[in-house]
Amino acid sequence: MTNLKSYASPLPDSRPRYELLDGLRGIAAFVVIWYHFGEGFATSPVDQMINHGYLAVDFFFVLSGFVLGYAYDNRWKNGSMTAGRFMLRRVIRLHPMVILSVILGAVAYLIQGSVQWDGTPVPLTTLLLALFLGLFLIPVIPGIDADVRGNGEMFPLNGPSWSLFFEYIGSILYALILHRLSKRSLFGVVVLSAVGLAVMALGNTSEAYHIGFGWSAAGWGFLGGFFRLSFSFSAGLLISRCFRQIRIRGAFWICALILCTVMACPYVGGAEPNVNNALYDLFCTFFIFPGVVYLGACGNTTDRFSTSTCNFLGQLSYPIYIIHYPVMYLFYAWVWNNSLAFDQVWPVCVCLFFGIVFMAWCAMRFYDTPVRNYLTARFVNKKR
């Protein structure tokens, strides 16, 4: 299991936006939805449809490091940014949707009958404990009562919250340490993180030769999730500091095609877990995604329609990512309880896909944007 981040970050009004990166974020979020549809029919990581959709998280982490470095590095230098102000902005940007997603997850859990996947009833007090932990992004340790689904998720009411948990870790590290590092020191962080992630992937600590770590705190999950964050986030930050724009025609379509192809690639190496799949994951993470972010930043939208489309995709990407999984829980329960195959339900998947997009738009339009605007005016602009 994995899940995505659109992690859009507010940029200074005086600096141009990278609209193409916003659009690519949205494309990756759409792929994640279909990856999660495929989870309902997979019997193992080998036969999962859209097999490498979990790598979208690594792309999001690279993108997050690049955008935050671009938006804030100069502010630390001129003294207009402090760790407290930065983290306040991040909480306002990310947490309203975290709260909504966990509440939706609790509602979906009640609709399912408030039982674990094996049918074990869960009392309301335990559900409320899981809700409380989810609201504050406190991970659930596998085996405790708050693991209400019984499959070891860090956030059993909304699985994708795990990547937001690590996103917060990345933001804290950036505010306290990473923004202070020189390019050489930051490169050292990237290399050490790459070594750590490679050791875990090639050592098969996932037991399937992939880097889909992080969604569970069991075993090597937490450490693997941290290495995914530390490499990709630091790599994105380093790219922002070394970036020199070159002219690339058709950058959006090139990058979108690369992303979709990489994440839709079948399991590499055959019908059994194979080290070649780990090598594929590492190649994509170490080279493809940093390259896509660089190329995407080099491109420009050329007309009002393409600019609006990329902005719209970027705005929707985070709401889509963070609130789509409660729908998936209900979808999985329906599929598994009725022993349905994908060829029987793909029209339902299509309808649910557009339903999720509409739900995300409503959440953005009527909840997230008004709440963030209020909190920004109340706490950020007032302090300024």
Side-chain angles (χ1 to χ4, degrees):
M1 179 182 303
T2 123
N3 316 4
L4 139 152
K5 135 188 173 177
S6 155
Y7 301 113
S9 305
L11 300 179
D13 293 337
S14 59
R15 306 193 72 184
R17 293 185 64 91
Y18 289 113
E19 288 92 355
L20 264 64
L21 295 182
D22 290 336
L24 293 174
R25 184 188 295 114
I27 294 293
F30 285 165
V31 174
V32 168
I33 294 177
W34 286 100
Y35 169 74
H36 285 144
F37 277 135
E39 280 188 326
F41 309 95
T43 61
S44 73
V46 173
D47 62 3
Q48 164 82 40
M49 293 188 296
I50 316 294
N51 194 275
H52 291 85
Y54 55 85
L55 293 178
V57 172
D58 303 275
F59 171 68
F60 289 140
F61 284 153
V62 178
L63 193 57
S64 181
F66 179 88
V67 171
L68 290 181
Y70 172 73
Y72 291 106
D73 267 2
N74 288 336
R75 297 190 184 192
W76 301 101
K77 295 176 182 178
N78 63 27
S80 63
M81 185 57 60
T82 65
R85 290 174 185 167
F86 173 77
M87 287 309 303
L88 176 62
R89 288 172 177 266
R90 296 305 287 156
V91 170
I92 290 174
R93 177 65 187 96
L94 299 175
H95 219 76
M97 289 301 296
V98 169
I99 292 172
L100 177 61
S101 69
V102 176
I103 293 173
L104 291 175
V107 172
Y109 192 77
L110 289 171
I111 293 173
Q112 284 180 247
S114 195
V115 295
Q116 294 186 351
W117 288 122
D118 63 2
T120 303
V122 173
L124 181 60
T125 52
T126 302
L127 175 59
L128 292 176
L129 173 60
L131 176 62
F132 174 82
L133 295 176
L135 291 173
F136 292 94
L137 277 185
I138 301 172
V140 171
I141 305 301
I144 69 173
D145 288 344
D147 183 12
V148 293
R149 294 189 182 276
N151 63 346
E153 289 175 278
M154 288 176 66
F155 300 96
L157 295 181
N158 186 49
S161 292
W162 77 264
S163 57
L164 269 297
F165 172 77
F166 282 104
E167 175 73 11
Y168 270 124
I169 292 177
S171 296
I172 292 170
L173 290 175
Y174 174 70
L176 298 179
I177 301 172
L178 295 179
H179 81 270
R180 305 174 187 272
L181 298 184
S182 65
K183 292 180 183 178
R184 178 175 296 182
S185 298
L186 189 59
F187 179 74
V189 173
V190 171
V191 171
L192 290 175
S193 300
V195 170
L197 186 57
V199 168
M200 297 196 67
L202 299 177
N204 197 26
T205 53
S206 68
E207 299 182 354
Y209 283 113
H210 62 62
I211 64 168
F213 306 103
W215 64 272
S216 175
W220 296 95
F222 185 92
L223 183 60
F226 179 77
F227 278 132
R228 292 178 75 182
L229 165 81
S230 60
F231 170 80
S232 296
F233 186 91
S234 299
L237 184 58
L238 183 62
I239 292 170
S240 75
R241 295 183 182 177
C242 302
F243 182 71
R244 295 292 183 272
Q245 189 165 18
I246 57 178
R247 183 175 177 81
I248 302 290
R249 294 189 62 182
F252 176 78
W253 299 109
I254 294 172
C255 293
L257 179 61
I258 292 173
L259 284 178
C260 292
T261 302
V262 161
M263 289 186 280
C265 177
Y267 191 88
V268 179
E272 297 294 333
N274 192 295
V275 70
N276 290 330
N277 194 76
L279 292 171
Y280 177 83
D281 282 5
L282 293 173
F283 180 77
C284 293
T285 303
F286 293 165
F287 302 105
I288 298 296
F289 296 146
V292 166
V293 169
Y294 196 102
L295 287 177
C298 288
N300 294 290
T301 54
T302 57
D303 56 77
R304 181 177 299 179
F305 175 77
S306 59
T307 299
S308 299
T309 299
C310 286
N311 286 337
F312 181 72
L313 289 173
Q315 290 168 352
L316 271 186
S317 57
Y318 179 45
I320 284 175
Y321 177 74
I322 197 61
I323 70 172
H324 80 280
Y325 217 65
V327 176
M328 294 298 170
Y329 287 129
L330 296 175
F331 175 74
Y332 297 154
W334 174 62
V335 167
W336 297 339
N337 290 340
N338 295 279
S339 301
L340 299 172
F342 180 73
D343 59 359
Q344 296 174 285
V345 303
W346 69 264
V348 176
C349 294
V350 173
C351 293
L352 285 177
F353 172 79
F354 287 105
I356 288 169
V357 172
F358 179 70
M359 182 176 69
W361 180 85
C362 289
M364 175 192 70
R365 175 67 176 81
F366 300 109
Y367 168 72
D368 188 42
T369 299
V371 169
R372 288 194 291 113
N373 287 343
Y374 169 78
L375 293 175
T376 299
R378 177 70 175 81
F379 296 104
V380 177
N381 294 341
K382 182 177 180 181
K383 288 186 177 183
R384 182 183 300 173

